[in-house]
């Protein structure tokens, strides 16, 4: 064994990394789906939306929740991101490999890696914009959507894709459910959330900014 | 200056199948430095293809109760048609149960006895005793009085090889895979090692050792239709024969397995019949009971194969583009049994024939399967004619099998003889003098091989095409040296093979021969393969009797007065026929008699009170 | 008789000046032709230099895995009639290339066995005169289920992680450890197992792409084995000091 590896050996490090990836992933999926359910309350009217937003504020849920999610988000990037190839040759190998194998799961993962990187950028912008325009109301949201609807549409698609297949992959890896039915269920949920999300965007767009 | 890398060890084992690795373990665990050479990675050896199982008289299951080494001994001797060495057979049956238990310790997941009542496919009720539950169980195989074949589902060879190889790895034994021994090195008295060709790079290397073990398996691929892996070309036998000093024993004793699947000749294990499968003819009539009322499908392999050919000759075969065949029927065993205990068969049928044996019949015909003959050794595995040379497993003629091997006895032989011969070989090596060799002599062997290679590449001796010659050899053996033999056919075989042999000395390469060139590999083997083919055919022509698998239509009876002896084939340099000598067969316990099945039991139609 | 076109990867390391290329061959296609039959025909009739590996030709030895029309498969049991159009053959990635379609799986798998210490670890001495230790038949079958792996390398070749991380043991390695974990004869402790495979080289390196599960010619339940080992490693890892 190499000296530098003996000196830095931490047998459990990768176990913890894997667990962090699992728990942050599940948390983020849970957050995202809840987030989208909350957002889509707009379908039931601006008042409900505003009341919900305000009560989250009143009970300090936003003030605890948002920093927590930011932390989880970063941890997820670090733990899941460790798997991503950084060298050009590795990236090329994976691309070739996915093309050759035509395995659905392999392609799905390639796009998951790409969407992950994209979400890192887009979600950061999204958070920055929302936080600087605090609090969240139907009107401010509608304004943002009107100006940047394409941004939200892209983020929605990327986020749901990443979350839906991410949760599928974690369940496959940990073997809690068989692969096939799991695939159907995660796809179904993703489609439902996507529909709600697109509908919400549409409503915001109709609503228009102040 | 030598051009060749030279590697020295205490022990050199050629062949990493079960027998070779088992012997290597004995030597290594006594502190000897061992190198194993193998054509392929050890776990790809043909040993892994043995599906059925391994005979050992543990007597744990209900149908094996009352079994003991004496019963196993009698079965083996009768199976061999009194051709085997009875001292060897005795040693073998006494050791087999221990070897099987040892394999259990090493990791083989043998199937175990499950207590309780069960109904066999033929309707018989048996009850496995509760107190035996969890001990190693056994299944039925041909030519045995008791259920004695220990198994792991249908992967006995696979699990044995993996377990034995795991011990090889544990002991850190060096394995050079993709390395082919192409010549023995010796000084006329003692074997000193081998010249080997690396099949990754084409490089020639010299391996020197105090003891060399030949464990290269059989020569099935001399025949056009064989159940054997394509690496089974008898390499070890031919390099031993080429010394001119070492004899091959009983090369005319060739086993045909009753159930090779048409048309790819992949083996359908005897376990299929052992577990209750039937043989049917074109009218879906179960014909074996007509010929063998007592043992039915489970007479010895030579007998079942002959009965099948006999039945086909009477016009009851199923016609196909690949010639007439018969059916193997396991449908009545049920999907659950087929898909667990006989899963490999189900897979083979699906993959290679597109049929599901749960509801379809399997086309089968007797197919070359095993060589009882091989490099002749004494009971310690020491090869006749050269000190420091040993042989073990199918490559050897230890002589456990005589003229017919029982199913399940070959896998057992590998672990038993690997153990025994390995021990004797290790003792010899520990007591042997320091490796003593003449530099020029050793180099000479390598240079001779280098010259052969150079000549082949340059096409100096001629331009014969190796693949064409090979096809002719395969066809000759198939046509004239098959299950039923006769004088004129065998003469034809010998004449043809002699002619092909002469042409094989004039092979020229079509390709460049550079590196690990596959054509060159075949060319280097070809003359040796033809010498083996001639040993088989000429031995068969000369043996004017029928014994076990050697069935002469012109001499249909066993002739103990003249032929209770073993053929020893030598190859003198420059000759085109083997020099045949004979030695008596040792009878220590069981004098020649009736096997209880087969043609010699003339009254078999009434059924004998025999096992 | 109809004919079939093959496009075959050619590269011989002893002539590195010749860059890898695809070579085309056309041969007659009799019914029931497998890639085994086809390749031998090409070598014997068209190109004696073509390198490839077969041993048992019955799908039990694992020698002949290659990439057939993009999928890792055993060539011996692949019927050409099941493939559409030109048959494209590539050697398995990850393993060292010997030449053309021939790769060195032997060295790789031997290394795997050494690394995972794939042998029964037992303190018992063998007593030739004692009866064997008893084992439940169900347990024996469970061990055999994992032991059925033939080390063909299809799972490794199909695995993205194995393609970019040289030290990843892949499904074959993880399945191997599972085989010993279910074996009551193996006395290894949690610590020892965790040490062998409780890292990104083993259980945690798997990203769950399941190309192994999709491409295993032996139909081993690799998803179940991989997740079983992953969960075991978590419980072992969390319970040891």
């Amino acid at each position: 064994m190499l000296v530098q590896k003996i000196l830095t050996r931490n047998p459990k490090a990768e176990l913890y990394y894997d667990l962090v990836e699992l728990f942050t992933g599940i948390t983020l999926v849970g957050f995202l789906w809840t987030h989208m359910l909350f957002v889509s309350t707009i379908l039931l009217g601006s008042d409900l939306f505003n009341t919900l937003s305000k009560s989250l504020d009143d009970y300090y849920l936003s003030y605890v929740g948002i920093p927590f999610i930011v932390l989880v988000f970063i941890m997820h990037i670090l733990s899941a991101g460790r798997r991503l190839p950084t060298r050009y040759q590795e990236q090329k190998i994976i691309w070739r490999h996915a093309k050759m194998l035509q395995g659905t799961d392999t392609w799905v993962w390639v796009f998951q890696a790409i969407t992950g990187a994209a979400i890192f950028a887009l979600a950061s912008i999204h958070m920055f914009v929302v936080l600087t325009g605090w609090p969240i109301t139907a009107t401010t949201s509608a304004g943002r959507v009107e100006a940047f609807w394409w941004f939200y549409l892209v983020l929605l698609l990327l986020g749901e894709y990443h979350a839906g297949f991410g949760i599928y992959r974690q369940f496959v890896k940990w073997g809690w459910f068989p692969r096939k039915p799991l695939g159907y269920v995660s796809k179904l949920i993703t489609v439902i959330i996507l529909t709600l999300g697109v509908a919400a965007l549409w409503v915001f767009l109709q609503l228009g900014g102040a | 200056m030598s051009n060749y890398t030279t590697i020295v060890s205490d022990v050199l084992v050629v062949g990493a199948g079960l027998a070779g690795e088992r012997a290597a373990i004995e030597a290594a665990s006594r502190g000897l430095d061992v190198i194993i050479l193998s054509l392929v990675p050890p776990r790809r050896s043909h040993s892994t293809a043995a599906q059925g199982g391994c005979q050992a008289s543990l007597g744990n299951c209900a149908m094996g109760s009352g079994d003991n080494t004496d019963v196993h001994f009698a079965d083996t001797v009768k199976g061999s048609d009194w051709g085997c060495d009875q001292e060897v057979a005795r040693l073998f049956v006494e050791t087999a149960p221990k070897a099987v238990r040892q394999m259990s310790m090493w990791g083989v997941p043998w199937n175990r006895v499950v207590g309780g009542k069960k109904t066999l496919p033929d309707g018989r009720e048996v009850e496995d005793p509760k107190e035996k539950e969890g001990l190693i169980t056994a299944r039925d195989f041909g030519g045995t009085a008791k259920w004695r074949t220990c198994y792991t589902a249908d992967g006995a060879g696979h699990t044995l090889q993996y377990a034995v190889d795991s011990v090889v790895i544990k002991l850190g034994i060096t394995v050079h895979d993709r390395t082919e021994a192409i010549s023995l090195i010796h000084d006329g008295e003692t074997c000193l090692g081998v010249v080997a060709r690396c099949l990754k790079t084409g490089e020639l290397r010299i391996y020197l050792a105090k003891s060399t073990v030949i464990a290269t398996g059989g020569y099935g691929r001399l025949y056009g239709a064989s159940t054997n892996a394509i690496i089974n070309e008898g390499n070890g036998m031919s390099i031993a024969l080429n010394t001119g000093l070492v004899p091959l024993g009983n090369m005319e004793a060739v086993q045909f397995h009753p159930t090779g699947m048409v048309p790819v000749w992949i083996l359908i294990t005897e376990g299929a019949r052992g577990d209750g499968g039937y043989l049917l003819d074109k009218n879906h009539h179960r014909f074996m009971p007509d010929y063998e009322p007592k043992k039915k499908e489970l007479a010895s392999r030579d007998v079942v194969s002959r009965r099948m050919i006999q039945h086909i000759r009477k016009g009851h075969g199923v016609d196909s583009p690949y010639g007439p065949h018969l059916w193997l029927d396991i449908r009545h065993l049920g999907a659950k049994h087929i898909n667990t205990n006989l899963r490999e068969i189900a897979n083979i049928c699906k993959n290679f024939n597109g049929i599901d044996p749960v509801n379809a019949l399997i086309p089968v015909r007797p197919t070359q399967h095993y060589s009882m003959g091989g490099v002749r050794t004494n009971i310690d595995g020491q090869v006749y004619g050269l000190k420091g040379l040993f042989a073990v497993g199918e490559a050897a003629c230890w002589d456990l099998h005589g003229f017919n091997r029982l199913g399940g006895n070959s896998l057992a032989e590998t672990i038993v003889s690997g153990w025994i011969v390995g021990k004797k070989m290790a003792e010899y090596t520990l007591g042997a003098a320091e490796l003593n060799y003449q530099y020029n002599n050793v180099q000479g062997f390598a240079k001779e091989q280098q010259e052969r290679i150079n000549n082949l590449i340059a096409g100096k001796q001629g331009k014969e095409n190796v693949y064409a010659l090979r096809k002719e050899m395969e066809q000759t053996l198939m046509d004239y040296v098959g299950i039923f033999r006769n004088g004129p056919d065998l003469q034809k075989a010998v004449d043809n093979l002699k002619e092909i042999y002469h042409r094989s000395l004039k092979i020229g390469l079509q390709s460049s021969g550079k590196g690990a060139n596959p054509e060159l590999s075949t060319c280097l083997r070809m003359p040796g393969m033809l010498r083996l083919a001639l040993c088989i055919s000429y031995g068969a022509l000369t043996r004017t009797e029928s014994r076990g698998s050697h069935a002469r239509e012109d001499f249909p009876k066993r002739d103990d007065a003249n032929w209770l002896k073993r053929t020893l084939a030598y190859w003198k340099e420059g000759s085109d026929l083997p020099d045949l000598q004979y030695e008596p067969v040792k009878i220590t316990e069981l004098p020649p008699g009736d096997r209880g099945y087969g043609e010699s039991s003339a009254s078999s139609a009434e059924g004998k009170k025999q096992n | 008789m109809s004919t079939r076109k093959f496009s075959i990867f050619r590269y011989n390391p002893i002539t590195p000046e010749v860059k890898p290329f695809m070579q085309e061959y056309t041969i007659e296609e009799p019914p029931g032709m497998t890639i085994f039959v086809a390749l031998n025909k090409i070598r014997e009739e068209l190109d004696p230099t073509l390198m490839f590996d077969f041993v048992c030709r019955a799908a039990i030895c694992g020698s002949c895995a290659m990439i057939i029309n993009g999928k890792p498969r055993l060539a011996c049991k692949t019927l050409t009639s099941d493939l559409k159009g030109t048959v494209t053959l590539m050697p398995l990635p990850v393993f060292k290339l010997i030449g053309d379609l021939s790769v060195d799986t032997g060295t790789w798998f031997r290394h795997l066995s050494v690394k995972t210490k794939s042998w029964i670890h037992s303190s018992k001495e063998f007593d030739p005169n004692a009866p064997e230790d008893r084992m439940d038949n169900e347990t024996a079958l469970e061990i055999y289920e994992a032991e059925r792996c033939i080390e063909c390398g299809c799972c490794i070749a199909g695995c993205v992680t194995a393609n970019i991380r040289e030290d990843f043991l892949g499904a074959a390695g993880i399945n191997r450890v599972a085989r010993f974990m279910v074996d009551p004869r193996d006395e290894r402790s949690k610590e020892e197992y965790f040490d062998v495979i409780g890292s990104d080289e083993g259980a945690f390196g798997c990203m769950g792409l399941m190309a192994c599960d999709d491409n295993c010619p032996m139909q081993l339940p690799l998803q179940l084995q991989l997740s079983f080992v992953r969960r075991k490693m978590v419980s072992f890892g969390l319970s040891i000091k």
Side-chain angles (χ1 to χ4, degrees):
Chain A
M1 217 184 190
L2 304 171
V3 177
Q4 72 273 25
K5 294 211 170 167
I6 297 171
L7 289 173
T8 55
R9 194 172 126 79
N10 181 352
K12 290 202 211 175
E14 281 150 1
L15 159 69
Y16 292 136
Y17 257 121
D18 208 49
L19 287 175
V20 167
E21 183 188 340
L22 170 68
F23 289 117
T24 55
I26 289 181
T27 310
L28 287 174
V29 172
F31 163 74
L32 183 65
W33 287 350
T34 324
H35 172 40
M36 290 316 296
L37 286 177
F38 282 3
V39 168
S40 50
T41 52
I42 195 69
L43 299 175
L44 303 174
S46 301
D47 291 345
L48 182 65
F49 182 89
N50 288 336
T51 319
L52 187 65
S53 168
K54 189 161 180 310
S55 63
L56 286 177
D57 257 15
D58 288 348
Y59 293 101
Y60 299 101
L61 277 176
S62 304
Y63 305 106
V64 181
I66 292 172
F68 174 70
I69 289 300
V70 171
L71 187 68
V72 169
F73 186 65
I74 293 168
M75 283 166 72
H76 188 72
I77 290 164
L78 292 177
S79 58
R82 82 189 197 280
R83 301 192 184 281
L84 296 182
T86 46
R87 293 177 56 201
Y88 171 72
Q89 194 183 16
E90 291 172 350
Q91 293 165 351
K92 203 168 158 188
I93 289 173
I94 290 180
W95 191 254
R96 268 188 64 93
H97 189 76
K99 274 204 296 195
M100 176 193 86
L101 206 60
Q102 297 154 13
T104 329
D105 280 41
T106 304
W107 269 125
V108 163
W109 177 84
V110 169
F111 286 117
Q112 214 177 357
I114 296 170
T115 53
I119 291 166
F120 175 37
L122 299 187
S124 303
I125 296 170
H126 170 56
M127 273 190 287
F128 178 78
V129 170
V130 170
L131 291 176
T132 49
W134 203 258
I136 301 173
T137 65
T139 326
T140 53
S141 295
R144 286 196 288 267
V145 171
E146 189 176 36
F148 299 105
W149 63 268
W150 47 269
F151 174 89
Y152 285 97
L153 188 64
V154 170
L155 182 56
L156 175 71
L157 288 172
L158 295 183
E160 287 310 325
Y161 178 92
H162 192 89
F165 285 110
I167 196 96
Y168 159 78
R169 196 172 314 289
Q170 287 298 342
F171 277 68
V172 164
K173 265 162 47 174
W174 294 91
W176 291 310
F177 297 103
R179 270 171 84 193
K180 283 265 154 59
L182 197 60
Y184 295 132
V185 172
S186 63
K187 273 182 214 152
L188 180 69
I189 296 178
T190 304
V191 168
I192 292 172
I193 301 281
L194 265 179
T195 316
L196 285 176
V198 171
L201 280 180
W202 179 253
V203 172
F204 280 127
L205 213 53
Q206 296 308 305
L207 224 56
Chain B
M1 252 292 285
S2 166
N3 291 317
Y4 310 104
T5 308
T6 303
I7 298 162
V8 182
S9 61
D10 294 324
V11 172
L12 181 67
V13 179
V14 184
L18 273 170
E21 286 209 318
R22 185 63 192 82
I25 288 168
E26 282 306 300
S29 52
R30 282 170 175 74
L32 292 166
D33 177 28
V34 183
I35 295 178
I36 306 179
L37 306 184
S38 176
L39 289 177
V40 294
R43 295 180 182 204
R44 314 236 185 272
S45 301
H46 188 51
S47 300
T48 61
Q51 299 163 355
C54 181
Q55 285 207 39
S57 54
L58 296 168
N60 288 329
C61 67
M63 294 300 286
S65 118
D67 198 10
N68 59 44
T69 52
D70 293 337
V71 185
H72 189 185
F73 175 82
D75 282 346
T76 302
V77 174
K78 287 177 196 166
S80 81
D81 222 353
W82 280 268
C84 73
D85 181 311
Q86 296 195 2
E87 276 179 3
V88 167
R90 175 51 72 181
L91 179 64
F92 162 76
V93 297
E94 297 297 336
T95 316
K98 297 169 187 165
V100 161
R101 290 182 180 131
Q102 185 178 46
M103 289 302 136
S104 178
M105 276 210 73
W106 288 3
V108 172
W110 297 115
N111 279 42
R112 304 294 173 137
V113 174
V114 179
K117 278 204 177 91
K118 48 208 83 166
T119 311
L120 303 179
D122 60 8
R124 276 179 297 171
E125 293 259 339
V126 293
E127 180 166 9
D128 273 309
K130 274 280 173 209
E131 71 269 15
K132 295 277 189 184
E133 188 151 286
L135 295 173
I136 297 168
T137 190
R139 61 164 46 131
D140 202 5
F141 251 44
T144 62
K146 302 281 179 188
W147 287 27
R148 188 188 297 130
T149 306
C150 308
Y151 63 99
T152 39
D154 55 2
H158 173 89
T159 53
L160 277 167
Q161 178 86 54
Y162 275 50
V164 171
D165 190 52
S166 78
V167 176
V168 165
I169 291 170
K170 175 181 159 187
L171 296 174
I173 298 174
T174 306
V175 180
H176 290 181
D177 70 12
R178 292 181 186 261
T179 303
E180 177 175 357
I182 57 174
S183 168
L184 287 178
I185 300 173
H186 62 89
D187 58 12
E189 275 180 20
T190 309
C191 180
L192 300 167
V194 305
V195 179
R197 179 166 171 265
C198 173
L199 299 179
K200 293 177 192 171
T201 62
E203 173 203 20
L204 287 190
R205 288 196 289 257
I206 294 170
Y207 288 85
L208 297 177
K210 289 183 196 168
S211 297
T212 303
V213 183
I214 295 176
T216 50
Y219 54 65
R221 285 286 157 170
L222 301 186
Y223 281 79
S226 167
T227 63
N228 284 194
I230 62 160
I231 52 171
N232 293 31
E233 300 179 317
N235 299 355
M237 295 181 198
S238 59
I239 59 173
L241 183 69
N242 290 356
T243 60
L245 304 167
V246 173
L248 303 182
N250 280 349
M251 288 298 278
E252 62 271 32
V254 182
Q255 180 166 81
F256 285 77
H257 194 288
T259 55
M261 187 170 72
V262 183
V264 289
W265 315 116
I266 294 172
L267 175 71
I268 303 296
T269 170
E270 189 155 323
R273 281 171 291 134
D275 288 7
Y278 303 142
L279 289 167
L280 307 181
D281 62 17
K282 69 174 176 188
N283 302 316
H284 292 198
H285 167 64
R286 186 184 173 196
F287 60 91
M288 277 308 292
D290 304 344
Y291 297 99
E292 298 292 334
K294 183 91 185 153
K295 300 292 288 183
K296 304 183 182 75
E297 280 85 357
L298 288 173
S300 62
R301 287 176 177 173
D302 58 329
V303 171
V304 178
S305 292
R306 277 199 295 277
R307 297 303 197 192
M308 289 169 75
I309 297 295
Q310 232 176 317
H311 202 63
I312 288 176
R313 284 183 174 179
K314 285 184 192 166
H316 301 300
V318 185
D319 285 321
S320 84
Y322 311 98
H325 63 76
L326 295 158
W327 298 114
L328 173 65
D329 184 6
I330 57 171
R331 294 173 299 181
H332 51 288
L333 303 183
K336 180 161 183 274
H337 185 87
I338 292 172
N339 289 322
T340 52
N341 278 3
L342 300 172
R343 172 161 54 183
E344 222 46 54
I345 297 180
N347 285 339
I348 286 169
C349 288
K350 281 174 205 155
N351 292 330
F352 299 96
N353 234 330
I355 55 172
D356 182 356
V358 171
N359 47 40
L361 298 171
I362 310 169
V364 293
R365 192 166 67 203
T367 307
Q368 193 287 338
H369 181 60
Y370 188 83
S371 56
M372 276 71 76
V375 182
R376 178 66 185 136
T377 72
N378 66 13
I379 193 167
D380 296 337
Q382 264 181 323
V383 169
Y384 286 19
L386 275 179
K387 272 193 293 182
L389 183 62
F390 297 78
V392 69
E394 190 178 349
C397 179
W398 191 29
D399 200 2
L400 170 62
H401 308 303
F403 275 76
N404 174 65
R405 169 176 75 77
L406 293 185
N409 261 358
S410 64
L411 218 42
E413 184 194 12
T414 61
I415 53 172
V416 169
S417 70
W419 189 0
I420 293 170
V421 172
K423 199 158 77 185
K424 294 289 178 185
M425 176 266 293
E427 284 164 8
Y428 166 88
T429 315
L430 288 167
E434 285 307 304
L435 195 62
N436 180 15
Y437 61 90
Q438 291 292 314
Y439 178 81
N440 285 339
N441 177 40
V442 170
Q443 291 290 311
F445 278 94
K447 284 191 182 128
E448 188 186 334
Q449 295 305 318
Q450 188 61 58
E451 202 173 294
R452 278 182 74 203
I453 292 172
N454 295 345
N455 286 344
L456 283 165
I457 291 175
K460 240 187 193 160
Q461 314 292 341
K463 264 303 190 189
E464 288 284 351
N465 179 318
V466 67
Y467 299 113
L469 292 189
R470 186 175 179 143
K471 286 235 158 65
E472 287 180 45
M473 172 192 72
E474 291 174 357
Q475 205 52 49
T476 303
L477 286 176
M478 290 300 290
D479 291 347
Y480 306 123
V481 201
I483 293 172
F484 285 105
R485 303 163 172 185
N486 62 61
D489 277 2
L490 289 168
Q491 187 62 55
K492 227 179 279 175
V494 170
D495 294 344
N496 281 2
L497 289 168
K498 257 200 236 182
E499 190 253 339
I500 305 169
Y501 175 63
H502 284 292
R503 283 162 60 202
S504 79
L505 302 175
K506 296 178 191 147
I507 294 173
L509 277 185
Q510 300 160 268
S511 58
S512 71
K514 268 192 196 157
N517 182 287
E519 188 193 11
L520 179 59
S521 308
T522 311
C523 291
L524 285 169
R525 292 170 200 147
M526 203 60 222
M529 287 165 74
L530 279 155
R531 285 184 206 123
L532 297 184
L534 276 161
C535 289
I536 297 166
S537 320
Y538 193 52
L541 175 65
T542 314
R543 183 175 283 271
T544 48
E545 64 153 353
S546 288
R547 183 182 296 272
S549 65
H550 174 68
R552 286 281 298 254
E553 291 164 307
D554 40 358
F555 299 94
K557 289 268 180 255
R558 197 174 77 204
D559 178 1
D560 292 322
N562 294 305
W563 285 105
L564 195 55
K565 51 192 185 184
R566 182 176 298 114
T567 311
L568 297 177
Y570 290 86
W571 198 279
K572 299 283 173 240
E573 202 180 336
S575 169
D576 61 3
L577 265 189
D579 170 23
L580 300 185
Q581 301 180 16
Y582 295 91
E583 65 174 4
V585 172
K586 215 176 284 169
I587 305 288
T588 53
E589 297 183 46
L590 195 63
D594 183 9
R595 299 171 92 184
Y597 48 77
E599 303 81 344
S600 58
S601 298
S603 50
S604 65
E606 291 103 67
K608 282 253 176 173
K609 297 278 180 294
Q610 285 249 2
N611 293 321
Chain C
M1 203 180 292
S2 65
T3 60
R4 177 72 78 149
K5 194 151 94 182
F6 288 79
S7 175
I8 299 177
F9 174 87
R10 300 303 306 272
Y11 181 70
N12 192 335
I14 63 161
T15 52
E17 66 278 7
V18 183
K19 295 270 172 272
F21 64 102
M22 300 300 290
Q23 188 163 356
E24 291 193 346
Y25 303 95
T26 304
I27 55 170
E28 286 192 339
E29 183 181 19
M33 181 168 81
T34 60
I35 306 278
F36 165 69
V37 173
L39 284 174
N40 278 296
K41 212 169 153 136
I42 292 173
R43 182 193 279 172
E44 287 174 20
E45 294 170 12
L46 300 174
D47 190 341
T49 64
L50 186 62
M51 287 188 267
F52 50 79
D53 296 316
F54 288 96
V55 176
C56 76
R57 61 79 176 88
I60 36 188
C61 80
S63 301
C64 65
M66 55 184 75
I67 306 288
I68 302 171
N69 284 2
K71 305 266 187 216
R73 304 173 70 158
L74 294 181
C76 69
K77 69 165 187 177
T78 303
L79 294 161
T80 50
S81 55
D82 290 342
L83 304 168
K84 284 195 193 79
T86 302
V87 178
T88 306
L89 304 178
M90 301 278 292
L92 289 189
V94 184
F95 305 98
K96 189 175 169 204
L97 183 65
I98 290 173
D100 301 338
L101 299 172
S102 174
V103 293
D104 188 357
T105 47
T107 305
W108 198 96
F109 275 99
R110 172 113 177 168
H111 170 75
L112 180 147
S113 285
V114 171
K115 200 155 177 184
T116 56
K117 300 193 177 91
S118 289
W119 53 85
I120 298 281
H121 290 58
S122 172
S123 53
K124 284 191 187 133
E125 281 290 319
F126 174 62
D127 175 359
N129 297 312
E132 65 274 18
D133 286 343
R134 286 173 198 250
M135 180 189 279
D136 190 38
N137 195 48
E138 287 303 311
T139 310
L141 290 174
E142 200 185 342
I143 297 168
Y144 180 60
E145 185 64 18
E147 180 122 321
R148 283 170 54 232
C149 167
I150 55 172
E151 304 192 343
C152 63
C154 284
C155 60
I156 307 300
C159 174
V160 164
T161 314
N163 268 268
I164 55 171
R165 300 185 79 140
E166 275 179 33
D167 55 4
F168 183 51
L169 294 170
I174 297 166
N175 176 65
R176 175 69 59 72
V177 175
R179 177 250 174 271
F180 286 96
M181 288 202 311
V182 297
D183 194 327
R185 293 168 294 196
D186 195 280
E187 295 165 358
R188 266 179 277 186
S189 64
K190 289 175 181 180
E191 284 85 351
E192 285 171 285
Y193 274 123
F194 189 79
D195 194 46
V196 164
I197 208 147
S199 70
D200 276 0
E201 289 173 23
F204 304 128
C206 164
M207 305 195 294
L209 275 59
M210 292 297 131
C212 53
D213 199 47
D214 289 336
N215 292 310
C216 175
M218 300 303 286
Q219 276 121 30
L220 293 176
L222 290 175
Q223 188 217 337
L224 296 179
Q225 297 285 34
L226 261 62
S227 55
F228 163 74
V229 173
R230 196 179 212 115
R231 295 195 307 266
K232 276 274 180 218
M233 283 307 123
V234 170
S235 77
F236 287 1
L238 294 178
S239 64
I240 59 178
K241 280 197 290 287

